[in-house]
Amino acid sequence: MELTHIEHIGIAVKNLDDSIKYYENVLGLKCYAVEEVKDQKVKTAFFMIGQTKIELLESTEPDGPVGKFIEKKGEGIHHIAFAASNLKDTLKEVEAKGVQLIDKEPRRGAEGLNIAFLHPKSTYGVLTELCEKPAKSDE
Amino acid sequence: MELTHIEHIGIAVKNLDDSIKYYENVLGLKCYAVEEVKDQKVKTAFFMIGQTKIELLESTEPDGPVGKFIEKKGEGIHHIAFAASNLKDTLKEVEAKGVQLIDKEPRRGAEGLNIAFLHPKSTYGVLTELCEKPAKSDE
């Protein structure tokens, strides 16, 4: 397994437009994409800083995972995503080492990446995403 | 103001040794330093991944900021630190834009960096650190 960099940091926000303004006007970052991910019940906004993206997440439904997170913990950092090579094998490897997987198989996430989540119960409280760019033949 | 990359991600953990083992044995990262930061009442462990460090934080006192965080929210992602150029001016700039500062002036943090925290009340719930390498004359 090889993790190369932090692909993105997911941040749960109540209002996407207000928080985009903060990241642009105060921190000086530039929102380059807004995308809805229906199966996660979120609307997302992306900013690039160095190798890493900031992904703001606004829940589109109160019962979505981000809506529940905000209800329980308030707005704030939701997950870290590591860029992994060979995601399928990496998932098998971490599962064999005792980590509980939320996604047993990679699925398609925002920006067309293949993604899978590890359960925070087995990662010392950190909701952890692994992701990789799909091979050209998958696109 | 210019933020160049994510300098580190701070993660609150109950037990530094156990969580170091997870980051090393499961995620394949290498702990390159362990350091106590007395004024923050934490022991820290560092891992490098791409441009970014993972900084694990174990509280050395229950009443320290990380101890209180874990009591309230459980283990998990604690803060994001952006690398900033010219930290003093950057702090003035974000304060002028209405952000509440935890540190009005830069102070010395782990790894000898000059650091300052912004209050999560004015950053949409994200405890945000800005940091810069000290000029040679300050070292």
Side-chain angles (χ1 to χ4, degrees), chain B residues 31-62:
Chain B
C31 177
Y32 69 86
V34 170
E35 180 184 348
E36 188 166 346
V37 184
K38 291 211 170 171
D39 75 332
Q40 287 295 299
K41 300 178 181 172
V42 287
K43 208 162 71 172
T44 65
F46 285 95
F47 305 78
M48 195 84 211
I49 173 161
Q51 291 176 324
T52 300
K53 295 161 195 158
I54 301 282
E55 179 188 30
L56 302 181
L57 302 151
E58 180 193 288
S59 193
T60 54
E61 314 268 349

Short mmCIF file of all heavy atoms in Angstrom, two decimals, chain B residues 31-62:
data_model
loop_
_atom_site.label_atom_id
_atom_site.label_comp_id
_atom_site.label_asym_id
_atom_site.label_seq_id
_atom_site.Cartn_x
_atom_site.Cartn_y
_atom_site.Cartn_z
N CYS B 31 6.49 7.54 11.60
CA CYS B 31 6.60 8.58 12.63
C CYS B 31 8.05 9.03 12.69
O CYS B 31 8.94 8.24 12.98
CB CYS B 31 6.15 8.02 13.98
SG CYS B 31 6.35 9.21 15.32
N TYR B 32 8.28 10.33 12.41
CA TYR B 32 9.69 10.80 12.38
C TYR B 32 10.04 11.65 13.60
O TYR B 32 11.21 12.00 13.78
CB TYR B 32 9.98 11.57 11.08
CG TYR B 32 9.28 12.90 10.97
CD1 TYR B 32 9.85 14.06 11.51
CD2 TYR B 32 8.05 13.02 10.33
CE1 TYR B 32 9.20 15.27 11.43
CE2 TYR B 32 7.41 14.23 10.23
CZ TYR B 32 7.99 15.36 10.79
OH TYR B 32 7.34 16.57 10.70
N ALA B 33 9.06 11.99 14.43
CA ALA B 33 9.38 12.80 15.61
C ALA B 33 8.27 12.69 16.65
O ALA B 33 7.09 12.61 16.29
CB ALA B 33 9.55 14.26 15.22
N VAL B 34 8.67 12.68 17.91
CA VAL B 34 7.71 12.80 19.02
C VAL B 34 8.22 13.97 19.86
O VAL B 34 9.42 14.08 20.12
CB VAL B 34 7.66 11.49 19.86
CG1 VAL B 34 6.85 11.70 21.13
CG2 VAL B 34 7.05 10.36 19.04
N GLU B 35 7.30 14.86 20.22
CA GLU B 35 7.72 16.09 20.90
C GLU B 35 6.65 16.50 21.90
O GLU B 35 5.46 16.39 21.60
CB GLU B 35 7.89 17.20 19.83
CG GLU B 35 8.32 18.54 20.40
CD GLU B 35 8.38 19.65 19.33
OE1 GLU B 35 8.32 19.34 18.11
OE2 GLU B 35 8.47 20.82 19.72
N GLU B 36 7.08 16.94 23.09
CA GLU B 36 6.11 17.49 24.05
C GLU B 36 6.06 19.00 23.89
O GLU B 36 7.10 19.66 23.79
CB GLU B 36 6.51 17.10 25.47
CG GLU B 36 5.44 17.49 26.47
CD GLU B 36 5.61 16.84 27.86
OE1 GLU B 36 6.40 15.88 28.00
OE2 GLU B 36 4.94 17.31 28.78
N VAL B 37 4.82 19.54 23.83
CA VAL B 37 4.66 21.01 23.78
C VAL B 37 3.98 21.39 25.09
O VAL B 37 2.77 21.25 25.24
CB VAL B 37 3.82 21.45 22.55
CG1 VAL B 37 3.74 22.97 22.47
CG2 VAL B 37 4.40 20.90 21.25
N LYS B 38 4.82 21.83 26.05
CA LYS B 38 4.32 21.97 27.43
C LYS B 38 3.21 23.00 27.54
O LYS B 38 2.24 22.77 28.25
CB LYS B 38 5.48 22.31 28.37
CG LYS B 38 6.42 21.12 28.53
CD LYS B 38 7.09 21.08 29.88
CE LYS B 38 7.79 19.73 30.02
NZ LYS B 38 8.64 19.57 31.16
N ASP B 39 3.35 24.14 26.86
CA ASP B 39 2.33 25.18 27.07
C ASP B 39 0.98 24.79 26.45
O ASP B 39 -0.04 25.38 26.78
CB ASP B 39 2.80 26.57 26.63
CG ASP B 39 2.80 26.75 25.14
OD1 ASP B 39 2.96 25.74 24.43
OD2 ASP B 39 2.65 27.89 24.68
N GLN B 40 0.96 23.81 25.56
CA GLN B 40 -0.31 23.31 25.03
C GLN B 40 -0.77 22.03 25.74
O GLN B 40 -1.81 21.46 25.39
CB GLN B 40 -0.17 23.02 23.52
CG GLN B 40 -0.10 24.27 22.66
CD GLN B 40 -1.39 25.07 22.72
OE1 GLN B 40 -2.44 24.62 22.35
NE2 GLN B 40 -1.29 26.30 23.23
N LYS B 41 0.06 21.56 26.70
CA LYS B 41 -0.26 20.35 27.47
C LYS B 41 -0.52 19.15 26.55
O LYS B 41 -1.52 18.42 26.72
CB LYS B 41 -1.47 20.59 28.39
CG LYS B 41 -1.20 21.71 29.40
CD LYS B 41 -2.40 21.99 30.28
CE LYS B 41 -2.09 23.12 31.25
NZ LYS B 41 -3.25 23.56 32.01
N VAL B 42 0.37 18.99 25.57
CA VAL B 42 0.25 17.85 24.66
C VAL B 42 1.59 17.20 24.39
O VAL B 42 2.64 17.84 24.47
CB VAL B 42 -0.35 18.24 23.26
CG1 VAL B 42 -1.82 18.53 23.34
CG2 VAL B 42 0.43 19.37 22.61
N LYS B 43 1.50 15.91 24.04
CA LYS B 43 2.62 15.20 23.46
C LYS B 43 2.20 14.95 22.01
O LYS B 43 1.06 14.56 21.76
CB LYS B 43 2.85 13.88 24.21
CG LYS B 43 4.27 13.42 24.18
CD LYS B 43 4.56 12.39 25.27
CE LYS B 43 3.90 11.06 24.96
NZ LYS B 43 4.27 9.97 25.86
N THR B 44 3.11 15.20 21.08
CA THR B 44 2.75 15.12 19.66
C THR B 44 3.63 14.09 18.94
O THR B 44 4.75 13.83 19.35
CB THR B 44 2.98 16.49 18.97
OG1 THR B 44 4.37 16.80 18.99
CG2 THR B 44 2.21 17.59 19.65
N ALA B 45 3.08 13.52 17.89
CA ALA B 45 3.85 12.62 17.02
C ALA B 45 3.61 13.07 15.58
O ALA B 45 2.47 13.37 15.21
CB ALA B 45 3.41 11.18 17.20
N PHE B 46 4.68 13.09 14.78
CA PHE B 46 4.59 13.62 13.41
C PHE B 46 4.89 12.55 12.36
O PHE B 46 5.80 11.73 12.52
CB PHE B 46 5.59 14.76 13.22
CG PHE B 46 5.17 16.04 13.88
CD1 PHE B 46 5.62 16.37 15.16
CD2 PHE B 46 4.31 16.91 13.24
CE1 PHE B 46 5.24 17.54 15.77
CE2 PHE B 46 3.91 18.09 13.85
CZ PHE B 46 4.37 18.40 15.11
N PHE B 47 4.11 12.65 11.27
CA PHE B 47 4.24 11.79 10.08
C PHE B 47 4.20 12.72 8.87
O PHE B 47 3.43 13.68 8.87
CB PHE B 47 3.05 10.84 9.96
CG PHE B 47 2.82 9.99 11.17
CD1 PHE B 47 2.19 10.52 12.29
CD2 PHE B 47 3.23 8.67 11.20
CE1 PHE B 47 1.98 9.75 13.42
CE2 PHE B 47 3.02 7.90 12.33
CZ PHE B 47 2.40 8.44 13.44
N MET B 48 4.97 12.43 7.85
CA MET B 48 4.95 13.26 6.64
C MET B 48 4.22 12.50 5.55
O MET B 48 4.47 11.29 5.35
CB MET B 48 6.39 13.53 6.20
CG MET B 48 6.54 14.64 5.20
SD MET B 48 6.59 16.27 6.02
CE MET B 48 5.85 17.29 4.75
N ILE B 49 3.32 13.16 4.84
CA ILE B 49 2.70 12.54 3.66
C ILE B 49 2.55 13.63 2.60
O ILE B 49 1.77 14.58 2.78
CB ILE B 49 1.38 11.82 4.00
CG1 ILE B 49 0.71 11.37 2.71
CG2 ILE B 49 0.45 12.62 4.87
CD1 ILE B 49 -0.32 10.30 2.87
N GLY B 50 3.31 13.52 1.51
CA GLY B 50 3.34 14.60 0.53
C GLY B 50 3.84 15.87 1.19
O GLY B 50 4.83 15.85 1.93
N GLN B 51 3.12 16.97 0.97
CA GLN B 51 3.53 18.27 1.52
C GLN B 51 3.10 18.45 2.98
O GLN B 51 3.41 19.48 3.58
CB GLN B 51 2.84 19.40 0.75
CG GLN B 51 3.26 19.61 -0.68
CD GLN B 51 2.42 20.69 -1.34
OE1 GLN B 51 1.22 20.81 -1.07
NE2 GLN B 51 3.04 21.48 -2.19
N THR B 52 2.32 17.50 3.47
CA THR B 52 1.56 17.73 4.71
C THR B 52 2.00 16.79 5.82
O THR B 52 2.34 15.64 5.56
CB THR B 52 0.05 17.55 4.39
OG1 THR B 52 -0.32 18.50 3.40
CG2 THR B 52 -0.82 17.72 5.62
N LYS B 53 1.96 17.30 7.05
CA LYS B 53 2.22 16.44 8.20
C LYS B 53 0.91 16.03 8.86
O LYS B 53 -0.03 16.81 8.90
CB LYS B 53 3.06 17.20 9.24
CG LYS B 53 4.44 17.55 8.74
CD LYS B 53 5.03 18.66 9.58
CE LYS B 53 6.23 19.24 8.84
NZ LYS B 53 6.54 20.62 9.29
N ILE B 54 0.90 14.83 9.38
CA ILE B 54 -0.14 14.42 10.32
C ILE B 54 0.48 14.63 11.70
O ILE B 54 1.59 14.16 11.96
CB ILE B 54 -0.50 12.93 10.17
CG1 ILE B 54 -1.00 12.61 8.76
CG2 ILE B 54 -1.48 12.48 11.25
CD1 ILE B 54 -2.42 13.00 8.47
N GLU B 55 -0.22 15.37 12.57
CA GLU B 55 0.28 15.63 13.93
C GLU B 55 -0.71 15.01 14.91
O GLU B 55 -1.82 15.53 15.10
CB GLU B 55 0.34 17.16 14.16
CG GLU B 55 0.82 17.56 15.55
CD GLU B 55 0.69 19.06 15.83
OE1 GLU B 55 -0.22 19.72 15.27
OE2 GLU B 55 1.50 19.59 16.61
N LEU B 56 -0.32 13.89 15.51
CA LEU B 56 -1.18 13.29 16.54
C LEU B 56 -0.94 14.02 17.85
O LEU B 56 0.21 14.36 18.19
CB LEU B 56 -0.84 11.81 16.71
CG LEU B 56 -0.96 10.93 15.45
CD1 LEU B 56 -0.62 9.48 15.80
CD2 LEU B 56 -2.36 11.02 14.85
N LEU B 57 -2.02 14.25 18.60
CA LEU B 57 -1.95 15.03 19.83
C LEU B 57 -2.55 14.24 20.98
O LEU B 57 -3.75 13.94 20.95
CB LEU B 57 -2.77 16.32 19.67
CG LEU B 57 -2.38 17.26 18.51
CD1 LEU B 57 -3.59 18.05 18.03
CD2 LEU B 57 -1.27 18.19 18.96
N GLU B 58 -1.74 13.92 21.96
CA GLU B 58 -2.26 13.30 23.19
C GLU B 58 -2.15 14.32 24.31
O GLU B 58 -1.07 14.91 24.51
CB GLU B 58 -1.45 12.04 23.55
CG GLU B 58 -1.95 11.35 24.81
CD GLU B 58 -0.97 10.31 25.34
OE1 GLU B 58 -0.82 9.24 24.73
OE2 GLU B 58 -0.35 10.59 26.40
N SER B 59 -3.24 14.52 25.03
CA SER B 59 -3.22 15.49 26.13
C SER B 59 -2.37 14.96 27.28
O SER B 59 -2.48 13.79 27.65
CB SER B 59 -4.64 15.74 26.60
OG SER B 59 -4.69 16.88 27.43
N THR B 60 -1.54 15.81 27.87
CA THR B 60 -0.78 15.40 29.06
C THR B 60 -1.53 15.76 30.34
O THR B 60 -1.15 15.32 31.42
CB THR B 60 0.62 16.05 29.05
OG1 THR B 60 0.46 17.47 28.91
CG2 THR B 60 1.47 15.52 27.90
N GLU B 61 -2.59 16.56 30.22
CA GLU B 61 -3.41 16.95 31.38
C GLU B 61 -4.88 16.94 30.95
O GLU B 61 -5.19 17.43 29.87
CB GLU B 61 -3.11 18.40 31.82
CG GLU B 61 -1.66 18.75 31.92
CD GLU B 61 -1.14 18.52 33.32
OE1 GLU B 61 -1.97 18.29 34.22
OE2 GLU B 61 0.09 18.56 33.49
N PRO B 62 -5.78 16.44 31.81
CA PRO B 62 -7.19 16.41 31.42
C PRO B 62 -7.75 17.80 31.10
O PRO B 62 -8.67 17.94 30.29
CB PRO B 62 -7.91 15.83 32.65
CG PRO B 62 -6.84 15.21 33.48
CD PRO B 62 -5.55 15.88 33.15
#
